Amino acid sequence: MAQWNPLEDIEALRREIDRAFEGFNLGETPVRQAAFLPGRGPRRYPLINLLEDKDHLYVEALTPGVDPQSLSVTVTQNRLTLTGEKLGIGGDIKPEAFHRNERASGKFVRSVDLPMEVADRGVQAEYKNGLLVVALPKAERVKPKQINVKVA
């Protein structure tokens, strides 16, 4: 019989509340970590999808125009951090030549709390056509276990 650990339930509830308030820039995430994208207010960059299968978590980050050499992926406990730099338009183009400049550039940092513990070893990241895909193997202790039922 599994034992109930109320501290794990409380910690899970705290993570859910933190996720709910992330969009309001309250708590630990300072406004300066929001992206450099223009618009009504700062948005997180890069935009991500977080999904899972039986053995892995996957983070897909939209990073078009980002210099692949500047990308850095780090995992600490259950937090993934993506950093990089989106290069601006180089050359002899002066700012006053632009009629519209909506494609921002600069350095970015995006940290994502993962919904479960992952194994630090075996993390893989691939960048292709402006999409960064990070595969994070789940820790053995959080993977579902198949239990055989004996018939008496």
Side-chain angles (χ1 to χ4, degrees):
M1 179 178 243
Q3 288 188 334
W4 176 59
N5 184 348
L7 295 179
E8 284 183 13
D9 289 347
I10 292 170
E11 179 62 20
L13 176 61
R14 184 197 62 79
R15 283 194 306 269
E16 287 297 319
I17 292 171
D18 287 348
R19 268 188 235 126
F21 282 100
E22 267 184 2
F24 299 108
N25 282 329
L26 300 174
E28 299 175 4
T29 309
V31 174
R32 72 177 184 280
Q33 283 186 348
F36 48 77
L37 295 173
R40 293 184 185 150
R43 291 178 275 173
R44 297 184 186 276
Y45 184 86
L47 299 175
I48 65 162
N49 287 338
L50 175 61
L51 52 140
E52 71 175 296
D53 64 15
K54 184 178 129 198
D55 296 320
H56 291 82
L57 288 175
Y58 297 96
V59 175
E60 301 173 338
L62 288 175
T63 53
V66 172
D67 177 16
Q69 299 301 317
S70 74
L71 286 172
S72 174
V73 178
T74 57
V75 178
T76 306
Q77 293 178 340
N78 69 331
R79 179 172 275 232
L80 172 73
T81 302
L82 307 172
T83 60
E85 183 172 10
K86 187 172 181 181
L87 300 175
I89 296 174
D92 299 330
I93 301 174
K94 296 181 179 172
E96 56 270 10
F98 285 95
H99 291 276
R100 211 173 256 270
N101 185 8
E102 296 178 355
R103 294 177 50 207
S105 60
K107 294 183 179 185
F108 63 86
V109 175
R110 174 83 192 262
S111 291
V112 179
D113 286 331
L114 302 171
M116 63 191 60
E117 188 179 337
V118 295
D120 294 345
R121 295 176 192 237
V123 175
Q124 296 180 343
E126 181 180 353
Y127 181 82
K128 186 175 181 181
N129 297 330
L131 184 67
L132 174 66
V133 178
V134 182
L136 304 132
K138 293 179 183 178
E140 285 300 319
R141 70 181 203 96
V142 298
K143 288 183 184 178
K145 307 288 188 269
Q146 179 65 39
I147 299 168
N148 294 326
V149 177
K150 293 181 182 178
V151 179

